[in-house]
Amino acid sequence: MTVRRYLDQRLKLHHLRAVEAIVAQRSILKAAAVIGLSQPALTKTLRELEDILQQRLFDRLPRGMRPTEAGLLLAQTARRILAELRRLDEELDRLADPEGGTVAVGTLPVAATGVLPGTLTRLKAAHPGISVRLEQGRTEELLPKLAAGEIDMIVGRLYEPAVPDGFPREPLWEEPISILARAEHPIFAVRKPALEQLRRYDLILPTVSQRVGQEIETLLDMLALEPTTSLRSSSYGFIREMLHATDLISVMPRLMMAGDLLRGTLKVVPLPVPAPPRPAGIILPRDRELPPAGHAFIACLRAHVAEIGQRGLAATTTEARAAPPRARRQPAPQPA
């Protein structure tokens, strides 16, 4: 028997915000804090929603909430609708100010500290009216947001998906795992330091995602550098200060310190072995065009990456730089 729910007449935006928050947070208490409601008010909204849909949306667990199949379905729809409304808001702003607009960028951690500061500096100078929304996360966290329209693109390391996902990937640069040291470090007294010389210095290593961590460990194994005595930190600022102030050396994706490399206060230590390739670039939507602000952002990203390449700090993909953002639809590059 078909049930008429009249969702177009009965569902309200606060219902959609509620279910999206609960699915994301897996907790009534945390979701209430995120959307600025009291816990009793959010519980009441959820009861209203389940009554309208005549479906149980969540299983109540001793610790948190688990969405049912109906809850996940509604949350996916809610995410798309709310994203379209945000997009409408931004498009209305663009009509009011043709030189403005908004671009929403998902970024991986290395890109966030590496290529984005220079890119945003260029964007602000060339298009002061454009606003940027940044969301940092892992690829698997950002792809659903890209699919739902919550973000316009993802910038960072290009990992091959476990299964084909249809998102166009454009490699723009390489961000190899490298050894970094301060410009006046004694290691640079030798043009091509041998492994024995590298092993004289203690390491400071970033605490990063599992994927990047595995790539760092691979290079450490190739160089037979001992990580057990190293200092580790999740703080980019702390690592940067220790590199500038001491004779510590670090092993990391070199563009994590792109600003200091461009300024010349840090330098890349020549490796005695070839570094494995690590392609990076942008992941684009599969079913919609970028807004004008998105095209402006990509133009500034390409220009900044080109400068990094001209300075010899990273290899760039010339073909990708020359292609328009929607022109290249190819499988993801192989991971390092």
Side-chain angles (χ1 to χ4, degrees):
M1 177 178 174
T2 302
V3 177
R4 291 299 305 275
R5 299 179 178 85
Y6 302 99
L7 300 184
D8 57 331
Q9 301 175 34
R10 301 178 67 191
L11 275 184
K12 308 298 182 185
L13 288 180
H14 72 273
H15 292 135
L16 303 182
R17 293 190 187 99
V19 74
E20 182 193 37
I22 298 171
V23 168
Q25 301 299 322
R26 295 295 202 271
S27 161
I28 284 278
L29 184 60
K30 292 179 181 178
V34 165
I35 59 179
L37 288 178
S38 67
Q39 184 175 354
L42 183 56
T43 300
K44 180 182 177 182
T45 297
L46 178 58
R47 283 200 299 265
E48 291 174 355
L49 192 51
E50 291 182 323
D51 182 58
I52 290 170
L53 270 67
Q54 300 180 39
Q55 292 270 0
R56 191 179 77 259
L57 299 177
F58 294 90
D59 293 323
R60 280 69 168 173
L61 305 176
R63 289 185 146 184
M65 309 278 282
R66 181 175 61 203
T68 63
E69 185 176 358
L72 288 174
L73 180 62
L74 179 59
Q76 291 168 0
T77 301
R79 177 175 283 179
R80 288 196 298 270
I81 292 172
L82 294 172
E84 284 298 317
L85 289 175
R86 282 191 291 269
R87 185 71 61 217
L88 173 61
D89 197 11
E90 292 163 0
E91 285 298 303
L92 291 172
D93 286 343
R94 184 182 63 81
L95 290 176
D97 178 11
E99 298 301 317
T102 301
V103 57
V105 180
T107 175
L108 275 64
V110 174
T113 58
V115 300
L116 279 192
T119 299
L120 296 178
T121 299
R122 288 175 180 271
L123 184 66
K124 188 65 177 175
H127 306 279
I130 290 179
S131 299
V132 180
R133 288 193 289 109
L134 294 178
E135 181 153 355
Q136 184 171 318
R138 298 175 298 175
T139 303
E140 53 268 33
E141 297 166 341
L142 296 173
L143 283 175
K145 297 178 182 292
L146 183 63
E150 294 181 55
I151 56 178
D152 295 309
M153 70 190 80
I154 300 171
V155 178
R157 172 80 160 91
L158 296 179
Y159 295 100
E160 183 181 14
V163 295
D165 56 23
F167 290 105
R169 286 163 167 82
E170 295 188 7
L172 297 179
W173 73 93
E174 292 277 342
E175 50 181 35
I177 305 293
S178 304
I179 299 176
L180 303 183
R182 61 187 177 90
E184 300 82 13
H185 197 287
I187 196 69
F188 295 115
V190 181
R191 188 164 178 267
K192 290 186 177 181
L195 288 174
E196 293 74 18
Q197 292 165 312
L198 289 174
R199 294 173 188 143
R200 296 174 188 170
Y201 301 100
D202 290 330
L203 297 169
I204 180 166
L205 301 175
T207 305
V208 287
S209 68
Q210 183 178 6
R211 281 172 165 171
V212 180
Q214 289 173 345
E215 292 173 313
I216 290 174
E217 294 296 329
T218 297
L219 186 60
L220 289 172
D221 289 342
M222 291 171 61
L223 299 174
L225 293 177
E226 180 53 65
T228 57
T229 59
S230 63
L231 182 63
R232 294 178 183 265
S233 175
S234 60
S235 169
Y236 160 84
F238 176 74
I239 294 174
R240 181 175 178 271
E241 288 300 317
M242 292 300 289
L243 285 176
H244 281 95
T246 71
D247 282 344
L248 290 171
I249 61 176
S250 187
V251 179
M252 64 172 69
R254 71 171 64 170
L255 293 189
M256 283 185 73
M257 299 288 178
D260 291 295
L261 291 170
L262 287 170
R263 287 185 287 269
T265 56
L266 295 179
K267 292 173 63 177
V268 177
V269 180
L271 285 178
V273 296
R278 299 186 75 250
I282 51 177
I283 306 177
L284 295 166
R286 56 191 169 198
D287 54 4
R288 66 182 185 278
E289 293 293 328
L290 289 175
H295 288 282
F297 174 88
I298 289 179
C300 292
L301 173 63
R302 294 184 194 279
H304 185 57
V305 167
E307 179 187 354
I308 291 173
Q310 290 165 3
R311 298 282 291 273
L313 299 179
T316 58
T317 305
T318 305
E319 181 185 357
R321 290 206 313 274
R326 296 291 294 176
R328 291 170 58 84
R329 293 180 176 272
Q330 62 181 38
Q334 296 297 314

